[in-house]
Amino acid sequence: MKRTLACLGAFAAITVGMFVTGPSAQAASGCTDTTKYYDTAGYYTDLPTAGLRGTYSCTLRRGVKNDAVYELQVTLNECYGQNTGGFDGDFGPSTETALRNVQRSLGLSADGVYGPNTRDGLKWAWRSMAGNHRCLKLTQAPGPLSTR
């Protein structure tokens, strides 16, 4: 009887876990794409997101290869002068070291993992259609931000 109840409890926990879509579940998902955000001054930045126009509360870590990593590499280089080993979209040891250096300089946990705290602490590389560049935190950009 105890074994049956334990199995039913485990099954219920697994079933409930499959349907959890709240903020903590979203924050744990990996960044798989980027979404272009525009401000009211005519600048845009590409933020790592979980899917196109998905949540930007996602993570990137060593071993990931995609456009989200590429945009992180651009920001680490343009806004912080960090060498990420190139703009190849490959989150390798050089990108991890560059991210740790920036996290440390921002007073964040220097774990080498990109997540919501790092996203909010970073100054992102913003561009305009005229070819201008600037580095601003998301909260510093003239808002409201839109995805058009």
Side-chain angles (χ1 to χ4, degrees):
M1 181 69 167
K2 289 181 183 179
R3 190 177 307 171
T4 302
L5 288 175
C7 287
L8 286 174
F11 177 75
I14 291 169
T15 303
V16 169
M18 289 172 48
F19 297 104
V20 172
T21 58
S24 62
Q26 291 174 348
S29 64
C31 303
T32 58
D33 211 330
T34 63
T35 299
K36 196 173 297 298
Y37 284 85
Y38 298 86
D39 69 14
T40 57
Y43 285 80
Y44 66 90
T45 190
D46 291 298
L47 288 181
T49 53
L52 183 61
R53 294 195 176 176
T55 179
Y56 57 74
S57 291
C58 55
T59 60
L60 290 170
R61 63 188 67 229
R62 194 170 180 172
V64 174
K65 298 177 184 178
N66 60 29
D67 288 341
V69 174
Y70 171 85
E71 291 301 332
L72 178 62
Q73 289 171 329
V74 168
T75 287
L76 293 173
N77 182 270
E78 287 186 15
C79 297
Y80 295 94
Q82 292 293 310
N83 178 4
T84 60
F87 305 118
D88 56 6
D90 184 356
F91 200 125
S94 296
T95 300
E96 183 180 53
T97 298
L99 183 59
R100 283 180 192 271
N101 291 340
V102 171
Q103 288 171 323
R104 196 173 296 110
S105 76
L106 296 173
L108 301 171
S109 173
D111 59 5
V113 176
Y114 168 87
N117 290 336
T118 300
R119 178 203 64 228
D120 292 345
L122 285 177
K123 289 185 178 182
W124 287 90
W126 293 77
R127 309 157 194 82
S128 74
M129 296 307 267
N132 298 319
H133 296 267
R134 67 178 185 190
C135 294
L136 289 176
K137 288 184 176 186
L138 295 176
T139 56
Q140 295 172 326
L145 301 181
S146 69
T147 58
R148 291 190 187 174

